[in-house]
């Protein structure tokens, strides 16, 4: 039988008792509900308060910020799991690796990727955040920003070639972004990774710029537009699920 730490068990019972009272409860009541002697309860309550798991207000104890973070972490994990399940669905439908990314706080963030051994995702050999100009995900996200936000991004992440096919400079990139039609796929051929072609579509996910993308080996380039069109047709039904990613 594994060794159990009694003090941890007692502290958890106190937290459970406190959580059952939205307006808080005094130490004597929490001790009684947790089945603990009052001196023991006082000692544990002081420790839990010091660590931020409880907060004392007007003679009663309520859950503190640290306890709230525990719950938020569980919610984040649930949301992330929902997103990955959705990406796996899209992956199976289109038969290609699927990516979901957002532009948040001035950076490109790939929230989730779903692939299979038979259809592996593109390896992140150069930081996706710093090379947004070179891949379809980044170009799609940058295209959803205003000019000022893009300029700020270029100041922090200069446009530079990482393969022989990468867009050559900021002016060329801006011309490309300016030519994009609203809600149309953004495609790139070996600009980020040799041997790989990618396509990305802008999506609505809360107030943030967001995108979903697919990648294929270059010898399957003829499939690219058909695959991304299929992805676009599938996205709407699960868009509400994907919007959870914004708070992750």
């Amino acid at each position: 039988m594994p060794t159990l730490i009694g003090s941890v068990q007692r502290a958890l019972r106190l937290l459970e008792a406190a959580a059952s009272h939205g307006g808080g409860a005094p130490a004597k009541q929490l001790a009684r509900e947790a089945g603990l002697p009052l001196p023991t309860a006082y000692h544990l309550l002081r420790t839990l308060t010091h660590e931020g798991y409880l907060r004392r207000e007007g003679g009663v104890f309520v859950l503190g910020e640290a306890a709230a973070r525990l719950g938020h972490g569980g919610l984040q994990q649930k949301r992330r799991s929902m997103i990955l399940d959705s990406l796996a669905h899209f992956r199976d439908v289109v038969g290609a690796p699927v990516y979901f990314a957002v532009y948040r706080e001035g950076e490109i963030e790939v929230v989730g990727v779903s692939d299979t051994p038979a259809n592996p995702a593109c390896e992140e050999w150069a930081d996706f955040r710093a090379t947004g100009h070179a891949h379809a995900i980044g170009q799609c996200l940058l295209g959803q920003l205003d000019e000022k936000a893009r300029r700020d991004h270029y100041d922090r992440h200069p446009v530079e070639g990482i393969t022989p096919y990468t867009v050559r400079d900021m002016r060329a990139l801006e011309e490309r972004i300016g030519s994009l039609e609203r809600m149309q796929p953004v495609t790139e051929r070996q600009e980020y990774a040799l041997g790989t072609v990618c396509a990305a579509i802008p999506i609505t996910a809360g107030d943030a710029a967001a995108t979903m993308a697919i990648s294929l080996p270059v010898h399957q380039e003829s499939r690219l537009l058909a695959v991304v069109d299929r992805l676009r047709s599938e996205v709407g039904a699960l868009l509400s699920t994907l919007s959870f990613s914004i708070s992750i």
Side-chain angles (χ1 to χ4, degrees):
M1 180 177 179
T3 301
L4 302 179
I5 308 301
S7 59
V8 175
Q9 292 177 306
R10 291 188 286 274
L12 290 174
R13 287 205 295 271
L14 280 172
L15 282 176
E16 290 172 351
S20 68
H21 299 282
K28 288 183 179 180
Q29 183 176 357
L30 294 177
R32 183 171 63 252
E33 293 179 3
L36 300 176
L38 189 57
T40 301
Y42 272 130
H43 175 72
L44 292 171
L45 289 169
R46 282 196 299 270
T47 302
L48 290 168
T49 300
H50 179 267
E51 296 297 327
Y53 290 97
L54 291 175
R55 189 174 70 252
R56 191 168 188 177
E57 294 183 350
V60 300
F61 291 89
V62 297
L63 291 182
E65 291 184 3
R69 286 196 299 270
L70 289 176
H72 183 61
L75 182 59
Q76 285 184 317
Q77 186 59 41
K78 181 179 179 181
R79 287 171 172 168
R80 187 173 293 276
S81 177
M82 293 172 68
I83 291 163
L84 293 178
D85 287 347
S86 297
L87 294 181
H89 164 77
F90 293 136
R91 175 204 68 204
D92 292 342
V93 169
V94 304
V98 177
Y99 310 74
F100 178 49
V102 297
Y103 196 84
R104 180 163 43 199
E105 298 180 356
E107 298 293 350
I108 293 166
E109 180 179 343
V110 179
V111 177
V113 181
S114 186
D115 63 356
T116 65
N119 294 297
C122 178
E123 181 181 353
E124 186 180 359
W125 72 273
D127 189 344
F128 279 140
R129 294 171 300 178
T131 57
H133 61 281
H135 48 71
I137 287 173
Q139 292 174 19
C140 188
L141 291 173
L142 290 170
Q144 296 175 62
L145 306 179
D146 59 32
E147 184 175 351
K148 181 180 179 181
R150 288 202 304 274
R151 297 281 176 174
D152 174 72
H153 183 89
Y154 301 147
D155 286 343
R156 291 177 290 108
H157 303 300
V159 177
E160 56 187 9
I162 59 173
T163 80
Y165 302 92
T166 307
V167 63
R168 63 184 181 276
D169 54 36
M170 186 178 71
R171 178 178 295 180
L173 178 61
E174 280 291 288
E175 288 178 355
R176 178 185 297 183
I177 287 175
S179 69
L180 295 175
E181 295 184 25
R182 179 175 170 79
M183 303 309 290
Q184 291 301 303
V186 178
T187 63
E188 61 91 354
R189 183 181 189 275
Q190 303 191 96
E191 293 183 49
Y192 174 78
L194 295 177
T196 301
V197 293
C198 299
I201 54 173
I203 65 170
T204 301
D207 296 327
T211 183
M212 290 189 64
I214 55 100
S215 63
L216 293 171
V218 70
H219 68 268
Q220 295 183 25
E221 185 175 5
S222 61
R223 295 180 54 218
L224 188 67
L225 290 180
V227 172
V228 78
D229 281 344
R230 180 67 188 277
L231 175 64
R232 184 167 50 184
S233 70
E234 291 286 330
V235 166
L238 292 179
L239 197 55
S240 60
T241 300
L242 291 173
S243 67
F244 285 139
S245 67
I246 302 306
S247 61
I248 285 183

